Amino acid sequence: MRKLFYSVLLIITIISCKNQKPVAKGYQGQGKNAVVSTVSKPVQKQWKGIWTFDNETTFFSNDFESGRLNGITSDGNNHYTALITAENTPVNVSPWYAFKVWSKTPKTITIKMTYQDSRSRYYPKISTDGQNFTPLDSANFTGINKGTGDFGIKAVPEIVEIKINSSEEPTYITAQELYGSTRVKNWIDSLSTKPFISTYEIGKSREKRAMNLMEVSNGEHKKAVMVISRQHPPEVTGFLAMKSFIETLSGDSPKAQKFRDNYDLFVVPLMNPDGVDNGNWRHNMGGIDLNRDWQDFNQPETRSVRDFLIKKESEGYEFVFGADFHSTWDDIYYPIDTTITGKKGKIVFDWINNIAERLPQKHTNVKPSKDIKPTMVSRNYFYVNHGMPAIVFELGDNTPRDFLKEKGKVAAEELMDLLDNQN
Ligand SMILES: [Zn+2]
């Protein structure tokens, strides 16, 4: 009997061990990208204006850059229901929202946020000036129909209810910090006061906004680094890391000066100005995910960068590094596997390792890709068509903002060291 008991126990142990998968730590990244058409599709253009309630005493507005509020109703007793919808579907689950509320007399209002068929990905940020944002106090946040998953969209509530102290001065309620095309241009202009930085248009978006390119160059060196960001409008944290990265490369340190003695830097900080200013969840105003259009180039935004790169290469430029900044559920790197890029691609992995050594406080997973054709995404196009060792540099939606800044700075310093060694 005892023998049988131990035999059964042994069998159970073997079976349970077999079923035990190694525990993966952190965000493991998205799967292979499906090949999709990038021919333009209809987009629902958002109505913009002011909603007025309670005998003209309470107001909501989406009428500003990056604003998104598709509808709002009053349920009585200072309770409102907001509807947030996407520009078109199918679309990635990143329900962006941004609106203002104010009232003639101070009061506490409750807003129920609904996202059509999606869920509440972005934790609300609050601001009174549209420049400085803080996360909503958690005491004023209630998740409804909480997710059942451990991670990603399945782990967030379907609906949220937030409490806001409204007064005559408008309060902004946004998915992430606001960086519309005007604010981004102000940042570019502030850097362009340096003698070695110039800005010019390389094309127009579908709605004729400027595709601005920033050139950091103290003379033609014919070796260059290419950086882009914000193909996806809500991905502000990627933009913030990119901003710190560019500020470091164009800074006054001896390292940065030496870098600029050997390399030029080209930056398109806002790849999707229409999507950003219209408060889109993902797409441009052609209804397309721009980071699937680097094969067929059906969209003007991707075409402008393609034409720029072709022109620079015809002028004799060699691109030595390319980075595309994005945001997702957590920090992650998507380089191209060295079985594809060989010795040339090693710099990307050295770079990742060097950044990790300097920032041990936050582990970042690496997911190398072997699929580079059809090119579809910028990173593949950069490598396949221009020989650039390239990476998709992803930051988490909720990565602390001071850490994003530090990561951008460290990433720039480590890249300058590696490129200096190559020179
Ligand atoms: Zn993205």
Side-chain angles (χ1 to χ4, degrees):
M1 194 61 201
R2 176 170 278 219
K3 207 174 171 187
L4 180 70
F5 172 76
Y6 280 113
S7 306
V8 170
L9 192 71
L10 184 69
I11 289 163
I12 289 170
T13 311
I14 289 167
I15 289 169
S16 61
C17 283
K18 255 191 167 170
N19 286 341
Q20 213 162 43
K21 284 180 195 154
V23 179
K25 199 174 141 216
Y27 182 47
Q28 300 299 303
Q30 61 179 30
K32 201 177 157 182
N33 292 325
V35 178
V36 289
S37 164
T38 59
V39 174
S40 296
K41 294 196 284 187
V43 164
Q44 173 84 55
K45 182 101 177 173
Q46 184 186 188
W47 179 84
K48 284 207 170 183
I50 299 173
W51 287 262
T52 305
F53 295 103
D54 311 322
N55 297 321
E56 301 192 0
T57 57
T58 312
F59 307 90
F60 291 84
S61 170
N62 62 358
D63 199 7
F64 54 90
E65 271 178 19
S66 300
R68 178 160 288 264
L69 175 65
N70 300 88
I72 185 143
T73 55
S74 169
D75 311 315
N77 289 327
N78 294 317
H79 188 287
Y80 304 86
T81 299
L83 173 65
I84 311 296
T85 64
E87 59 275 16
N88 66 347
T89 56
V91 66
N92 180 273
V93 284
S94 38
W96 173 267
Y97 56 88
F99 55 90
K100 288 190 277 193
V101 59
W102 66 99
S103 55
K104 283 203 169 149
T105 50
K107 61 178 177 178
T108 302
I109 66 167
T110 304
I111 307 168
K112 187 172 157 187
M113 309 269 291
T114 69
Y115 310 91
Q116 213 168 23
D117 297 326
S118 195
R119 306 180 76 87
S120 173
R121 174 167 179 169
Y122 299 108
Y123 189 85
K125 317 292 183 296
I126 301 294
S127 169
T128 50
D129 61 4
Q131 303 273 319
N132 300 290
F133 289 82
T134 49
L136 178 73
D137 187 330
S138 61
N140 295 325
F141 179 93
T142 310
I144 299 167
N145 189 6
K146 287 178 185 153
T148 51
D150 301 326
F151 208 83
I153 201 73
K154 287 179 183 151
V156 295
E158 183 185 352
I159 292 167
V160 301
E161 239 177 27
I162 59 173
K163 279 194 166 53
I164 300 288
N165 294 318
S166 143
S167 67
E168 260 190 315
E169 192 181 357
T171 300
Y172 287 84
I173 301 156
T174 63
Q176 296 285 32
E177 296 89 331
L178 288 180
Y179 278 90
S181 64
T182 302
R183 192 175 189 191
V184 173
K185 184 63 167 49
N186 288 342
W187 170 66
I188 294 173
D189 289 344
S190 72
L191 283 183
S192 299
T193 57
K194 298 188 181 212
F196 51 86
I197 303 186
S198 56
T199 305
Y200 45 92
E201 270 187 46
I202 56 165
K204 297 271 192 203
S205 65
R206 184 160 293 270
E207 289 188 336
K208 307 295 173 216
R209 287 182 179 82
M211 294 294 295
N212 288 310
L213 183 137
M214 201 158 70
E215 178 173 336
V216 180
S217 167
N218 64 7
E220 285 196 2
H221 303 300
K222 302 288 186 189
K223 277 188 178 181
V225 172
M226 184 75 202
V227 173
I228 64 173
S229 96
R230 232 48 204 287
Q231 292 198 74
H232 301 141
E235 299 182 5
V236 174
T237 56
F239 170 84
L240 291 172
M242 181 280 308
K243 182 170 175 280
S244 168
F245 183 73
I246 298 306
E247 284 166 353
T248 308
L249 293 177
S250 56
D252 299 324
S253 71
K255 199 176 275 197
Q257 290 179 34
K258 198 172 173 199
F259 165 74
R260 294 192 299 269
D261 283 339
N262 297 303
Y263 297 95
D264 292 343
L265 168 66
F266 300 109
V267 191
V268 182
L270 202 53
M271 276 296 303
N272 187 356
D274 293 351
V276 165
D277 284 358
N278 282 290
N280 287 2
W281 291 15
R282 179 78 165 187
H283 300 152
N284 73 338
M285 287 311 275
I288 293 302
D289 180 342
L290 291 177
N291 208 26
R292 299 294 178 269
D293 191 39
W294 296 83
Q295 175 68 41
D296 293 338
F297 294 96
N298 285 311
Q299 303 301 320
E301 294 86 356
T302 35
R303 275 201 300 269
S304 65
V305 175
R306 175 197 65 183
D307 295 347
F308 171 80
L309 288 171
I310 290 170
K311 180 170 160 275
K312 283 292 153 189
E313 207 163 83
S314 74
E315 290 169 8
Y317 272 89
E318 181 201 348
F319 286 93
V320 296
F321 195 87
D324 182 5
F325 286 79
H326 287 255
S327 309
T328 186
W329 298 97
D330 200 358
D331 294 16
I332 189 165
Y333 299 111
Y334 294 113
I336 303 174
D337 201 279
T338 47
T339 55
I340 307 289
T341 57
K343 205 168 151 245
K344 193 173 190 180
K346 196 173 164 286
I347 185 172
V348 177
F349 291 85
D350 291 343
W351 185 54
I352 290 169
N353 290 337
N354 294 354
I355 298 168
E357 259 174 46
R358 289 205 31 211
L359 299 172
Q361 64 268 47
K362 187 167 181 10
H363 172 78
T364 303
N365 281 330
V366 186
K367 194 176 181 193
S369 175
K370 290 178 187 170
D371 297 308
I372 53 168
K373 284 179 185 172
T375 47
M376 286 201 310
V377 303
S378 63
R379 177 202 62 194
N380 297 349
Y381 179 79
F382 286 179
Y383 177 71
V384 171
N385 294 66
H386 297 282
M388 265 183 258
I391 189 169
V392 180
F393 198 106
E394 298 257 12
L395 288 306
D397 296 334
N398 300 316
T399 300
R401 288 3 185 197
D402 53 352
F403 182 77
L404 290 179
K405 203 172 168 188
E406 179 67 9
K407 196 168 188 176
K409 175 173 164 278
V410 166
E413 288 169 356
E414 294 304 322
L415 181 65
M416 291 191 283
D417 281 348
L418 286 167
L419 288 176
D420 190 38
N421 292 339
Q422 260 189 10
N423 203 45

